[in-house]
Amino acid sequence: MKKVLFLTFLFLSISGYSQNIRFSGIVADANAVGLEMANVMAVNQSTKAMDSYAITDDKGRFQLSLKANTAYKIKVSYIGYQAKEIDVQTQAENMVQTLVLEQGVDLDQVEIVQEMPVSIKGDTIVYNADSFKTGTERKLEDVLKKLPGVEVNADGQIEVEGKKVQKLMVEGKDFFDGDTKLGVKNIPADAIDKVQVLRNYNEIGALKGLENNEENVAMNIKLKDGKKNFWFGDMSAGIGIGHKDSRYIVNPKLFYYNPKYSINLISNFNNIGELPLTIQDYFKFTGGFRGMMQKGGSSFNVSSNDLGIAMLRNNRAKEIETKFGATNFSYNVTKKWSLSGFAILSSSETDLETRSRSTILETGVRQKNEEITHQKSNLGLFKFSSSYKPNTKLQFDYDVLMKQSKQDENNNLLREFTVNNVTSAEDIYTTKKQNPTSINQNASLYYTANDKNVFAFEMQHLYQDEDPFYNANLMTQPFALSGYVENQNRNNLNQSRFVKTNKLDAKLDYYYMVTPKSNINVTLGNTNSHQNFNSSIFQILDNGNRNDLVAPENNNKVSYDFNDVFVGLHYKFLTGKFTFTPGFSAHYYNMDNAQLGTNYKQNFSKLLPDFYALYQIKKSETLTYTFALNNNFTDINNLVMGNVLSGYSSLYNGNRYLENSTTQLHSLRYFKYSMYNLENIFANISYSKVTDAVKSRIVFDNVNQTLTPYNSNLADETISANGAYGRSFLRFYKVSASIGLNWSKFNNIQNGNVTTQESFIQNYTMRASTNYRDLPNLEVGYNFVVNDYAGSKFFTDKPFAKLDYYFLDSFSFVAEYEFYHYYNSSKTVENEYDFLNASLIYQKKNSKFEYKIGATNLLNTKTLNDDSFNQYRTTTSQYRVQPRYLILTLKYNL
């Protein structure tokens, strides 16, 4: 099957290519100087359609792919020059011609630019969506995947030229700020007019040019005229066919945009495995809050006590039922004051069935698990924003983001483990409950006193309240705990935790423009955090009575204060094609840890340098180098000295005497984007070395383990490299190849021995696709992954293909296929499985009704595989997935 798909694609490519000749040349001014970024297009005189287009490179060169023996009108436009048209009759051979433009204003060129599939205006790339649509697109995601230089991964994250899109907007208004997935999966394709990619993006106009924004990318969706000032969207409902269990999906989406306000409403109710927002998405949803202390040189990251629920794989679980609702709004109170925000509510029930095998690296003890898990999650996200800009010199912003969730998990597990060739087994039952709440507030004031002086004040407060509860019911007693009643039929251990965090970051930046190409930035900043950690362990006896383990080592009552005051100095200057920003930050740290009736304090100072350099090789070709020395501080979770149950076989004891670690980071990035041949290249290599890293001293007792953190005098190192090449050509083809490499070295103390473990992860992907309007379109690709964990190698071969075809002006057929071959180097673990999804859609032209029959997991695959590695063990897992579904859906388009 794989060979057939690739041969089909090759045939389509060759047949399309053989009908074309190349028309190339130079666009120049009257002095024969090539004009960069001129627009060139070829209009077929017979069909009146645009058959090809190009944008000139830095030497004014262009090339078009035209049909042989055809009459064309070649149109050329360039800002500040008169547009030009010439008639060309192609022959069977390639053609070369120089096109000279005269200076002067020509209003017709505006229309010509708008017709171009791709145009560049400064830092903005504009894609005309209709130029890439073939008729099978239903969502924004489908359109973006066809644009040159744009990729969308499985999680809905958009990448442009190898950079992640940090903000998605519609008509200049934030669309669920902080994540692109909801927009990618829900904005209707037929509403999209233009896709604008905003490079070097800074949402604070006063700071643009003062800071280094080369890695910042945003995207703005322009709507068709018929979608403005009117409600648009769709309402769909579907039921299962031929399945013993009732299956359903209800998915209404409504959108309204006008210059004064906008409203977006999205909901989804289903039991077919569609997850508009996963638990993982919830925890990574930033709400668009900026990392305001990134330049500070210190990191104090508040960790999460999520008990591991968020890490479970549930996108292809055995069963998932979801209820989801979201709304996003913006409102311009006046021309100077705007309000915006969103609310997201999600409820899901998930059943997982997993088999796993793990090996402890130090002792060689093997363990097999069979697990049945039931999860219930209720998630809430709420954001409100206000932006006040009374004039061009002043801006005041306020944002508040609230996260609240209620999660429960019940797990039934059969564990089998082998020690010294003796195999034992037991059944284990665990319960996890947590209801965390976090409120993040941000207030920012930006003031431009004059052309030389700019002030920026930012303040951010985090309040986080966590209350995880853990219960484990085992046959064997895992740990020797003071006050524990032994010789029970079952060992019923429980622990409740209460962790509260109040963290305030404040920063004042002053920018002084020394010259038009240089500025000095002085920063005064402070991070202040106060945390409380309370926990207790108790035992439920066979008779149902509660036994509180009152010994001090089984209870934690800890408070921790962290304070970092710093001043930073950076000097940014441009010289020729280079931009340099050397700088440093000077810190004074103060820490106070109170527990066990005593206080432990630390005070010290540190100077942390950093450096940034950009080589602007051409307008769309850069080489960037960054260096930073960072101090990393742990939060209260690693400091509590008493026992913390982190699992039914894992006990954790903190270390109040922990010190900070220091990370040395080097990064080199190359980027090139050529509109001349629609080619994009990026490559990045980074190296980090962590000294005094917070590591774990671990003691194994058969399958049970006790961990204690310490500062290692051995450095951990990581080298990562990734790159990608992509090109669109002949207007109908898009090819890409990417590579990702990551090598890491870790040091720990296991059973009293200093151990060093290495991992090497390799990821290679190739893909190619067509984009015909009247022929079936095919995307084929191959992904190969090697996970080398401490000498244990796991491989995954994954060829994949997608076929989509719009035919008879009413029908759309889409099929997606993935094949997995999963195995280890010794072939003791090996599995093959594949997934095939397909849909047939009928929508008569100009009709508001759409009929769809869709099939999920057509081949009825039962399980999939995965592997993982940490510094102590390797694990390979097998997950049961949802069976085949056939869903009949009716959709009404507004």
Side-chain angles (χ1 to χ4, degrees):
M1 181 174 181
K2 290 179 280 184
K3 291 183 179 179
V4 172
L5 292 174
F6 278 99
L7 289 173
T8 303
F9 175 76
L10 184 62
F11 171 76
L12 292 174
S13 302
I14 295 174
S15 63
Y17 185 81
S18 62
Q19 301 170 6
N20 291 272
I21 62 103
R22 184 173 69 249
F23 179 78
S24 60
I26 294 176
V27 177
D29 62 12
N31 298 318
V33 177
L35 298 175
E36 185 179 5
M37 300 297 179
N39 296 317
V40 185
M41 68 174 67
V43 178
N44 190 310
Q45 293 289 65
S46 175
T47 64
K48 302 303 180 183
M50 181 180 62
D51 280 1
S52 187
Y53 69 94
I55 295 177
T56 58
D57 67 2
D58 59 317
K59 294 181 175 61
R61 296 177 300 179
F62 71 91
Q63 61 179 11
L64 302 172
S65 175
L66 305 180
K67 296 176 181 177
N69 304 311
T70 306
Y72 283 98
K73 187 175 289 292
I74 306 298
K75 298 184 177 184
V76 187
S77 66
Y78 188 74
I79 296 175
Y81 287 73
Q82 296 183 31
K84 185 171 187 173
E85 296 182 359
I86 63 170
D87 294 322
V88 170
Q89 175 66 46
T90 61
Q91 305 298 324
E93 298 178 350
N94 295 334
M95 303 173 64
V96 179
Q97 189 165 344
T98 298
L99 306 174
V100 179
L101 300 185
E102 301 292 335
Q103 285 190 324
V105 178
D106 190 340
L107 296 178
D108 290 340
Q109 72 184 27
V110 176
E111 181 181 353
I112 292 173
V113 170
Q114 289 179 337
E115 293 177 357
M116 286 289 292
V118 184
S119 59
I120 296 181
K121 303 174 183 177
D123 286 333
T124 302
I125 304 175
V126 182
Y127 297 94
N128 182 28
D130 286 344
S131 299
F132 299 92
K133 294 177 184 176
T134 60
T136 60
E137 302 83 10
R138 290 297 179 268
K139 299 169 291 187
L140 172 61
E141 175 181 28
D142 303 323
V143 177
L144 294 180
K145 287 182 176 180
K146 297 182 177 181
L147 305 182
V150 180
E151 300 289 343
V152 182
N153 65 23
D155 294 325
Q157 177 65 58
I158 308 170
E159 289 188 0
V160 177
E161 304 163 356
K163 304 171 186 175
K164 289 185 178 180
V165 172
Q166 299 169 339
K167 179 184 286 286
L168 179 64
M169 298 174 285
V170 177
E171 290 293 323
K173 299 176 174 63
D174 292 345
F175 193 91
F176 293 95
D177 194 15
D179 186 59
T180 60
K181 182 177 180 177
L182 290 179
V184 161
K185 300 291 186 182
N186 290 284
I187 296 175
D190 61 0
I192 302 167
D193 182 30
K194 300 285 192 298
V195 177
Q196 297 177 329
V197 174
L198 311 175
R199 299 180 292 181
N200 303 324
Y201 181 76
N202 193 326
E203 57 187 315
I204 308 302
L207 302 182
K208 189 170 179 63
L210 298 176
E211 299 183 325
N212 298 313
N213 306 307
E214 286 74 18
E215 297 299 310
N216 297 346
V217 180
M219 180 174 285
N220 181 45
I221 306 301
K222 300 290 291 183
L223 301 175
K224 292 182 179 294
D225 289 338
K227 303 299 181 180
K228 301 174 186 177
N229 299 310
F230 295 99
W231 284 98
F232 68 93
D234 55 69
M235 299 185 180
S236 61
I239 58 171
I241 302 174
H243 196 274
K244 62 181 181 179
D245 299 323
S246 59
R247 299 291 164 179
Y248 68 90
I249 180 171
V250 180
N251 185 203
K253 293 173 282 188
L254 295 172
F255 309 91
Y256 184 87
Y257 282 87
N258 70 24
K260 191 172 180 64
Y261 65 91
S262 68
I263 301 175
N264 305 294
L265 300 169
I266 301 172
S267 61
N268 193 319
F269 307 88
N270 75 86
N271 64 351
I272 63 172
E274 283 197 11
L275 282 170
L277 190 77
T278 67
I279 299 176
Q280 291 88 343
D281 295 330
Y282 169 82
F283 280 104
K284 73 180 183 182
F285 209 107
T286 65
F289 275 63
R290 297 177 293 276
M292 55 175 283
M293 304 303 281
Q294 288 179 349
K295 287 194 305 181
S298 294
S299 65
F300 179 82
N301 296 316
V302 178
S303 57
S304 173
N305 289 269
D306 59 22
L307 293 175
I309 295 179
M311 303 306 294
L312 288 175
R313 184 167 187 162
N314 59 359
N315 59 336
R316 280 179 175 163
K318 181 182 177 182
E319 289 286 343
I320 307 177
E321 184 168 9
T322 300
K323 299 174 183 178
F324 175 84
T327 181
N328 177 219
F329 82 93
S330 67
Y331 177 59
N332 296 330
V333 182
T334 67
K335 291 183 178 180
K336 302 176 181 179
W337 183 24
S338 62
L339 305 174
S340 63
F342 61 73
I344 300 173
L345 296 172
S346 178
S347 176
S348 64
E349 290 197 39
T350 306
D351 290 322
L352 300 105
E353 188 174 316
T354 311
R355 293 184 177 184
S356 62
R357 294 196 296 182
S358 63
T359 302
I360 298 174
L361 298 173
E362 174 67 16
T363 63
V365 173
R366 300 185 303 275
Q367 179 174 304
K368 293 182 181 179
N369 288 346
E370 294 185 10
E371 298 180 63
I372 297 177
T373 305
H374 180 73
Q375 290 181 351
K376 291 181 66 175
S377 296
N378 295 301
L379 312 175
L381 281 161
F382 310 92
K383 184 185 179 186
F384 175 78
S385 299
S386 170
S387 182
Y388 180 61
K389 303 177 185 178
N391 51 57
T392 57
K393 293 186 174 183
L394 185 65
Q395 179 176 339
F396 175 70
D397 295 337
Y398 172 77
D399 307 278
V400 57
L401 173 70
M402 179 179 178
K403 291 183 178 183
Q404 191 163 21
S405 66
K406 184 178 186 300
Q407 298 168 262
D408 300 278
E409 176 190 291
N410 294 307
N411 181 282
N412 298 337
L413 180 146
L414 176 62
R415 176 172 69 172
E416 182 181 292
F417 56 93
T418 303
V419 181
N420 297 326
N421 296 320
V422 178
T423 300
S424 304
E426 68 173 319
D427 55 327
I428 302 171
Y429 306 95
T430 65
T431 300
K432 300 176 182 179
K433 296 181 180 180
Q434 56 192 28
N435 302 282
T437 298
S438 71
I439 301 175
N440 207 330
Q441 299 181 80
N442 180 80
S444 307
L445 181 67
Y446 307 95
Y447 175 62
T448 303
N450 49 49
D451 292 340
K452 285 187 171 293
N453 299 278
V454 177
F455 297 87
F457 176 73
E458 298 174 291
M459 182 169 60
Q460 188 166 296
H461 178 258
L462 170 67
Y463 170 77
Q464 184 169 284
D465 188 356
E466 300 172 289
D467 60 347
F469 174 82
Y470 181 73
N471 164 256
N473 190 312
L474 305 83
M475 292 177 62
T476 58
Q477 181 182 338
F479 310 108
L481 302 174
S482 297
Y484 190 84
V485 177
E486 300 182 356
N487 301 317
Q488 300 288 300
N489 291 326
R490 302 288 300 184
N491 293 275
N492 193 324
L493 283 172
N494 303 266
Q495 182 168 59
S496 57
R497 277 186 262 170
F498 301 93
V499 186
K500 288 189 178 181
T501 300
N502 277 281
K503 178 171 171 278
L504 179 66
D505 295 306
K507 179 167 68 81
L508 175 65
D509 279 298
Y510 167 63
Y511 298 89
Y512 175 71
M513 297 294 296
V514 181
T515 70
K517 292 187 176 182
S518 64
N519 71 75
I520 294 175
N521 170 215
V522 179
T523 305
L524 298 176
N526 176 235
T527 294
N528 186 276
S529 172
H530 176 75
Q531 295 180 291
N532 291 303
F533 187 110
N534 294 283
S535 69
S536 59
I537 299 176
F538 62 92
Q539 175 189 16
I540 300 298
L541 303 177
D542 288 345
N543 59 14
N545 292 334
R546 170 169 169 158
N547 174 36
D548 290 308
L549 307 186
V550 296
E553 62 267 28
N554 296 324
N555 296 269
N556 289 290
K557 188 174 183 180
V558 186
S559 66
Y560 178 54
D561 292 295
F562 173 86
N563 192 62
D564 171 22
V565 179
F566 70 92
V567 58
L569 179 65
H570 292 83
Y571 177 53
K572 178 181 178 180
F573 62 96
L574 286 69
T575 174
K577 293 185 176 183
F578 292 90
T579 300
F580 297 102
T581 310
F584 67 88
S585 55
H587 296 256
Y588 178 73
Y589 302 103
N590 181 282
M591 288 151 281
D592 186 0
N593 172 246
Q595 60 179 310
L596 303 174
T598 61
N599 288 67
Y600 176 71
K601 298 182 179 181
Q602 298 181 64
N603 302 280
F604 67 96
S605 302
K606 191 72 178 275
L607 186 69
L608 300 171
D610 58 88
F611 180 74
Y612 173 91
L614 170 69
Y615 175 32
Q616 191 77 44
I617 304 170
K618 295 178 182 178
K619 283 188 177 180
S620 294
E621 185 177 10
T622 60
L623 184 65
T624 308
Y625 169 74
T626 57
F627 161 77
L629 198 64
N630 294 319
N631 267 7
N632 311 302
F633 294 86
T634 184
D635 72 347
I636 196 170
N637 289 281
N638 284 325
L639 304 178
V640 296
M641 300 285 286
N643 292 320
V644 176
L645 287 173
S646 52
Y648 58 82
S649 61
S650 182
L651 190 68
Y652 188 82
N653 303 115
N655 180 0
R656 69 185 305 183
Y657 304 107
L658 287 177
E659 299 178 349
N660 67 285
S661 63
T662 302
T663 301
Q664 180 184 150
L665 177 64
H666 300 265
S667 176
L668 184 65
R669 178 186 176 91
Y670 172 77
F671 156 74
K672 179 182 179 181
Y673 186 67
S674 172
M675 290 303 298
Y676 171 64
N677 54 11
L678 295 177
E679 179 183 66
N680 63 89
I681 305 170
F682 84 87
N684 181 79
I685 183 168
S686 62
Y687 169 77
S688 67
K689 182 178 181 179
V690 184
T691 56
D692 297 319
V694 175
K695 309 298 294 182
S696 290
R697 182 180 286 106
I698 184 168
V699 176
F700 291 102
D701 180 13
N702 293 332
V703 291
N704 300 317
Q705 61 188 35
T706 302
L707 296 92
T708 304
Y710 71 101
N711 288 106
S712 173
N713 57 2
L714 300 174
D716 286 358
E717 296 177 274
T718 299
I719 300 175
S720 61
N722 56 78
Y725 173 84
R727 183 173 178 179
S728 298
F729 55 99
L730 298 180
R731 194 185 172 193
F732 304 112
Y733 307 95
K734 183 177 179 180
V735 297
S736 66
S738 64
I739 180 173
L741 305 173
N742 185 283
W743 173 85
S744 298
K745 183 178 73 172
F746 307 100
N747 300 282
N748 283 287
I749 299 176
Q750 302 186 29
N751 282 1
N753 302 315
V754 176
T755 62
T756 300
Q757 305 288 356
E758 294 184 10
S759 72
F760 184 37
I761 301 173
Q762 306 167 62
N763 194 321
Y764 308 90
T765 303
M766 298 182 297
R767 67 178 73 225
S769 62
T770 63
N771 196 31
Y772 296 113
R773 288 187 177 273
D774 302 318
L775 294 173
N777 285 300
L778 185 65
E779 177 188 16
V780 293
Y782 176 71
N783 175 240
F784 180 60
V785 178
V786 182
N787 291 330
D788 186 349
Y789 307 130
S792 298
K793 287 188 177 181
F794 298 89
F795 304 88
T796 303
D797 292 301
K798 190 184 87 170
F800 56 89
K802 179 180 180 181
L803 174 69
D804 64 79
Y805 185 31
Y806 181 71
F807 57 99
L808 300 179
D809 288 331
S810 299
F811 290 91
S812 298
F813 176 73
V814 179
E816 296 180 79
Y817 177 76
E818 296 176 335
F819 176 84
Y820 294 82
H821 179 205
Y822 176 83
Y823 56 99
N824 64 359
S825 54
S826 61
K827 295 296 181 72
T828 57
V829 176
E830 187 169 13
N831 192 19
E832 291 185 353
Y833 53 94
D834 48 6
F835 291 94
L836 175 62
N837 301 325
S839 63
L840 179 64
I841 299 173
Y842 172 76
Q843 184 177 15
K844 195 173 181 179
K845 201 167 186 178
N846 299 322
S847 172
K848 291 183 176 295
F849 288 95
E850 175 187 289
Y851 306 88
K852 172 183 175 182
I853 182 167
T856 301
N857 193 8
L858 260 173
L859 303 176
N860 210 25
T861 296
K862 303 296 184 182
T863 60
L864 60 82
N865 287 85
D866 198 5
D867 60 81
S868 61
F869 163 79
N870 60 31
Q871 299 169 46
Y872 320 111
R873 70 184 70 224
T874 60
T875 303
T876 180
S877 302
Q878 185 179 82
Y879 300 85
R880 180 171 292 278
V881 299
Q882 295 185 100
R884 174 173 51 231
Y885 297 146
L886 294 176
I887 305 293
L888 179 63
T889 305
L890 172 64
K891 183 166 75 172
Y892 177 76
N893 296 289
L894 295 180

